Amino acid sequence: MNESSAVQFGAITVVLLLVVFYGGTYLISHRIRKKKENADQYMTAGNKIGFGISAASMTATWIWASSMYASAEAGYTYGISGPIHYGLWGALMILFIYPFGKRIRAVAPKAHSIAEVMYARHGRSSQLMLAGSNVVGSLISLMSNFIAGGVLIAMLSPFTFIQGVLTVAAGVLLYTLWSGFRASVLTDFIQVMAMFGAVAVIIPFIFLAADFPSAFETGAQNLSPEQQSFFSSEAFLNQGAPYIAAVLAYAIGNQTIAQRLFAVRQDLIKPTFITATIGYGAMVIGVGMFGVMALYLGFEPTDGDVNNIIPEMAASYLPAALLAVFFVMIIGALSSTADSDLAAMSSIMMADVYGQNVAGKGGANPKTMLLVGRVTMLLATAAAVSFASLELSILDLLVFVGALWGALVFPVLASFYWKKVTNKAFTVSVLAALACFVPVRFEWIPLSGVVGVFVDLLSVIGIAVILGLMCFGFFGIKVAKVVAVVAAVVSAPFVVGFLHDYATLSASLVAYAVSTIVCWSMSVRGNAEFDFTLIAKRTGNFDDDDAVRPAGAANTLGPDGPARHEPTTVGDTR
């Protein structure tokens, strides 16, 4: 069925669709280019984006082709509860960002990245640790979007996978390179509107074309009891729970999210993230039903590659006209996140590497910064294209990166609220968490006996940390402590002696637990009393500073006090 009934476009049709999409996107972004470019506009669009564009951009960035493919994979692997776990928890994590986001913007209203704020709060090692993790994460994200594009083009046209990857990479780079973040947010608005319109038509059409109401009864034999259960423990332990931990880490550590947090008008943070929560959940859960339908229909993806589920289902059941709409929808989804990844990496290299560590905040040349940003985009695209040829599992990549970032969540958030956290506590806690995460995640050590019990005990603490942090953002420290204690007590009998069999989930929880324990224990008895008002003074615009900085004072004094590129604080251990 997969091959005989599938529609495939000719080479000319695919080229025309890509030219129309990327050509139109380029023309839109070309309209916002300026004769005199501004480094801050390139990174955060002046910190004053309105509600409509910011909400659409946040939604489009979180909804990427990889999330669509991964949601469908979850549905195909775990049954009906798979897309629910994937989409619901991802949506709620967007919601959990905004209370923390309000605090972050309050202390650093003009920053460009979380890593830049960590430099102002702690020093160089914390900044580069966060910046480096974001470069790796964004590069993996970029690669997975190129994989999604290559699979789609190879499936629906005569072109090969590698040709598809190269085409998508060139198209995204075409409209992002000149205007950076501004191009990303402007095109996101158009792309997300198109995506919602396409999904509203395509999913019901396939549902009816596949005669799914009948298949729901006749195809039940294709599902295991766990896949048929809405409350599948396998789906929760292998998909839902790891993703809860992963997306919280994404929310706090991901520069594509942080960049939009710093770009939106400060008074619009709450409605922006609430709107994005609803939009993401509806879109991703809906698209994930492709995988559920494929499971009931007995649909076998080519070569058993679950990345092929969405394009093959579409090619098998959609007429040519709607298949073209579907094609553009997926290209738009992956492009909206790929351009965000490029903008995120360029801003990190501009602000955190060149702006803070090479030239120093006071001596950074905005023109050089723009050059650094554009060269970064070119190099990142080349690297992502090279790695995309490996054709790795998108779902595995997403969960791995999110779990890896779990080591950063508590140290980062604590640094925005707790005066006692030092650079040494931040650095040591993250490194310790990573040292524990990797061997557990890849099972380099036998997770049995005493080691297994120890991992389970750390997992109990990890559960308490995650639920406590979620409640802390909305309800404050007292409620967070109560929830954390209750979570630990309630989960312990079910976790100890059992959870270590699920390495992905255990590793993520261990990362949260170890980073929290080490960061807290190294900070609680310290004498540091950081003044959070210093963060706003040590971060800010690069271009605007030129107008107020006295000649000859570039590397000695900033307009607000001590040199911004060399902060000193009580208890700073640099």
Side-chain angles (χ1 to χ4, degrees):
M1 178 183 68
N2 298 21
E3 296 179 1
S4 62
S5 61
V7 176
Q8 192 176 59
F9 295 128
I12 295 177
T13 302
V14 170
V15 169
L16 286 175
L17 288 172
L18 291 171
V19 168
V20 169
F21 177 80
Y22 284 120
T25 308
Y26 170 74
L27 290 176
I28 293 169
S29 64
H30 184 76
R31 292 172 63 91
I32 62 174
R33 63 185 293 179
K34 299 180 179 180
K35 292 182 180 180
K36 184 179 180 181
E37 280 297 325
N38 181 295
D40 298 300
Q41 290 282 338
Y42 194 87
M43 290 186 281
T44 55
N47 311 104
K48 53 186 179 183
I49 295 179
F51 168 72
I53 290 181
S54 60
S57 182
M58 184 67 248
T59 306
T61 298
W62 208 250
I63 298 173
W64 41 334
S66 298
S67 65
M68 292 184 177
Y69 281 40
S71 183
E73 179 183 340
Y76 190 77
T77 304
Y78 301 113
I80 192 168
S81 63
I84 304 296
H85 281 305
Y86 191 97
L88 177 61
W89 302 126
L92 289 178
M93 286 309 105
I94 301 176
L95 185 65
F96 284 122
I97 298 171
Y98 95 75
F100 297 119
K102 291 174 68 176
R103 170 64 178 173
I104 293 169
R105 279 296 295 276
V107 299
K110 295 288 186 179
H112 307 87
S113 71
I114 298 291
E116 181 186 2
V117 181
M118 288 299 101
Y119 182 82
R121 174 67 176 86
H122 292 303
R124 186 168 286 112
S125 63
S126 300
Q127 177 201 27
L128 294 181
M129 192 173 291
L130 192 56
S133 68
N134 264 287
V135 169
V136 172
S138 289
L139 193 59
I140 290 176
S141 171
L142 189 64
M143 174 186 69
S144 66
N145 277 288
F146 289 168
I147 289 173
V151 167
L152 179 69
I153 291 175
M155 192 69 60
L156 300 182
S157 76
F159 295 112
T160 65
F161 170 78
I162 294 299
Q163 289 172 330
V165 168
L166 290 171
T167 302
V168 170
V172 172
L173 193 61
L174 174 70
Y175 71 85
T176 311
L177 185 64
W178 184 262
S179 297
F181 179 74
R182 291 171 301 163
S184 176
V185 293
L186 181 60
T187 55
D188 280 349
F189 180 82
I190 298 168
Q191 290 162 354
V192 80
M193 293 299 104
M195 281 191 284
F196 276 113
V199 166
V201 174
I202 288 172
I203 292 180
F205 188 95
I206 293 180
F207 187 87
L208 295 175
D211 193 20
F212 193 69
S214 299
F216 188 76
E217 297 179 3
T218 60
Q221 61 189 9
N222 297 324
L223 281 69
S224 68
E226 283 287 339
Q227 289 173 326
Q228 293 182 39
S229 172
F230 189 80
F231 301 101
S232 167
S233 60
E234 285 296 311
F236 179 74
L237 291 170
N238 286 302
Q239 168 68 42
Y243 201 59
I244 293 172
V247 293
L248 178 59
Y250 265 100
I252 302 304
N254 192 327
Q255 171 61 9
T256 62
I257 308 302
Q259 204 165 13
R260 280 149 184 80
L261 173 63
F262 288 120
V264 66
R265 261 177 42 196
Q266 204 161 340
D267 60 314
L268 295 177
I269 291 174
K270 180 177 179 179
T272 293
F273 283 92
I274 290 177
T275 303
T277 296
I278 298 170
Y280 173 89
M283 175 73 115
V284 172
I285 292 174
V287 173
M289 291 304 161
F290 273 112
V292 177
M293 286 191 281
L295 189 60
Y296 273 94
L297 292 167
F299 197 91
E300 294 289 339
T302 301
D303 300 326
D305 186 352
V306 289
N307 290 335
N308 294 334
I309 291 173
I310 287 182
E312 286 191 334
M313 284 285 289
S316 296
Y317 291 106
L318 291 177
L322 284 181
L323 189 61
V325 173
F326 166 84
F327 181 85
V328 173
M329 178 190 77
I330 299 296
I331 292 295
L334 67 89
S335 298
S336 68
T337 304
D339 62 34
S340 299
D341 289 321
L342 289 176
M345 284 187 279
S346 67
S347 69
I348 288 172
M349 297 303 293
M350 290 167 70
D352 296 307
V353 178
Y354 170 76
Q356 295 281 16
N357 289 286
V358 176
K361 177 73 177 183
N365 186 325
K367 291 183 179 179
T368 305
M369 292 184 74
L370 288 165
L371 177 62
V372 169
R374 288 171 180 143
V375 170
T376 298
M377 287 191 182
L378 290 169
L379 294 177
T381 300
V385 167
S386 300
F387 292 138
S389 61
L390 300 175
E391 297 188 63
L392 302 173
S393 168
I394 291 172
L395 185 59
D396 287 344
L397 288 174
L398 296 181
V399 173
F400 173 76
V401 174
L404 191 63
W405 273 337
L408 289 158
V409 174
F410 181 85
V412 169
L413 288 180
S415 296
F416 283 103
Y417 292 90
W418 194 17
K419 296 179 179 181
K420 289 182 176 292
V421 180
T422 64
N423 186 47
K424 185 176 181 179
F426 185 106
T427 304
V428 173
S429 64
V430 172
L431 292 177
L434 292 178
C436 296
F437 165 81
V438 173
V440 174
R441 173 63 182 84
F442 295 105
E443 299 182 75
W444 291 351
I445 54 176
L447 299 181
S448 58
V450 175
V451 175
V453 172
F454 182 66
V455 168
D456 289 343
L457 290 173
L458 288 176
S459 297
V460 170
I461 298 174
I463 292 170
V465 170
I466 291 172
L467 295 180
L469 288 175
M470 289 178 178
C471 293
F472 170 68
F474 288 100
F475 307 112
I477 189 65
K478 292 183 179 180
V479 173
K481 287 180 178 179
V482 171
V483 169
V485 171
V486 171
V489 172
V490 171
S491 65
F494 302 97
V495 170
V496 178
F498 165 73
L499 199 64
H500 59 264
D501 291 333
Y502 297 85
T504 300
L505 175 56
S506 294
S508 180
L509 294 174
V510 165
Y512 275 94
V514 172
S515 63
T516 301
I517 293 170
V518 175
C519 185
W520 178 84
S521 62
M522 291 183 66
S523 302
V524 68
R525 296 182 182 276
N527 297 319
E529 289 291 333
F530 182 79
D531 180 4
F532 285 103
T533 62
L534 293 175
I535 294 179
K537 298 177 181 180
R538 293 170 177 170
T539 58
N541 293 336
F542 287 88
D543 281 275
D544 293 350
D545 283 352
D546 291 338
V548 296
R549 188 168 47 239
N555 291 309
T556 57
L557 292 177
D560 297 298
R564 293 183 178 188
H565 59 288
E566 287 297 337
T568 55
T569 68
V570 177
D572 191 2
T573 56
R574 287 175 300 155

